[in-house]
Amino acid sequence: MHIPILHQTQYWLAVNKPAGLNFHSEDGEAGLVALLRQQLGFELYAVHRLDKLTSGIVLFGKSPEAANQLAEQLRNRQMAKFYIALSDQKPSKKQGAIVGDMAKSRNGTWRLTRSKENPAVTQFFSYGLENGLRLFLLQLHSGKTHQLRVAMKSLGSPVLGDAAYGTKAEVDRGYLHAWAVRFVFDGETIELICPPSEGEAFASPVLQLQLAAICPPWALPWPKL
């Protein structure tokens, strides 16, 4: 499997992770990191990760120092990360913020709680499409496991194709995609946008028009948290 390279410098690179691919190798099947190592021929250092269901932008440092510099921006909420998702269920609200601590459930999934001691923080807008589908633009302000999938479920709108969090629709993929990222590296502002390249529902002309209308996502009127 060839992994698309979105952008590359001497210090770091960004790739487009395919949906359905594990980040690390599991059960004898090569994951994203191993495939990139084979493809590029050198070691990479992960800045963050995406779970198997999710496609889109992943950043790697070419050295531990570069990876740490980028990861520090993530920890300090200086890196803007935007995802898109589809759902076939109406949300409890059409835009706003989802804030709460996350706790592990007995079945291995996660759930949002009412407490806010170390909360997951997600902002979102949503837009009606066709055929009962709704597009969600999500801005990540923390990096919890399954954060966006749990946030979508808490709205009553689980990600289309996400069987673990409640959707029963039989579709060709899980419809969650890391769409855009904006950060500064060595004084240079980096802005990357990665259109989804897989999934029949993502190819919808109505959806494509809506994505064009909200691009770039960092220019939208996001309210202050």
Side-chain angles (χ1 to χ4, degrees), residues 69-189:
Q69 185 175 335
L70 291 169
E72 185 69 18
Q73 291 194 48
L74 272 178
R75 287 190 291 270
N76 294 332
R77 300 186 181 183
Q78 295 170 327
M79 181 183 292
K81 294 174 68 182
F82 303 89
Y83 291 67
I84 55 173
L86 294 181
S87 181
D88 59 359
Q89 302 295 318
K90 290 184 179 180
S92 56
K93 55 182 179 180
K94 294 183 179 180
Q95 65 181 60
I98 307 141
V99 183
D101 291 327
M102 290 177 57
K104 204 156 194 178
S105 301
R106 291 181 179 179
N107 63 358
T109 60
W110 294 82
R111 58 185 175 84
L112 203 68
T113 70
R114 293 183 179 181
S115 62
K116 298 177 182 179
E117 296 177 9
N118 182 25
V121 181
T122 306
Q123 286 181 294
F124 76 99
F125 295 112
S126 70
Y127 310 89
L129 299 175
E130 58 188 346
N131 301 324
L133 292 181
R134 195 165 193 89
L135 171 67
F136 289 76
L137 172 62
L138 305 133
Q139 183 172 186
L140 200 65
H141 291 281
S142 52
K144 311 292 186 182
T145 302
H146 291 186
Q147 177 177 328
L148 297 181
R149 296 164 68 182
V150 172
M152 292 282 287
K153 182 180 180 180
S154 75
L155 289 171
S157 302
V159 173
L160 184 67
D162 186 358
Y165 287 96
T167 180
K168 297 180 181 179
E170 293 185 6
V171 291
D172 54 351
R173 60 160 293 179
Y175 278 87
L176 179 61
H177 177 78
W179 184 44
V181 64
R182 188 173 191 254
F183 59 93
V184 175
F185 190 89
D186 284 351
E188 180 184 1
T189 298

Side-chain angles (χ1 to χ4, degrees), residues 84 127 135-137 179 209-220:
I84 55 173
Y127 310 89
L135 171 67
F136 289 76
L137 172 62
W179 184 44
L209 285 172
Q210 184 61 68
L211 285 182
I214 60 175
C215 187
W218 42 81
L220 295 176

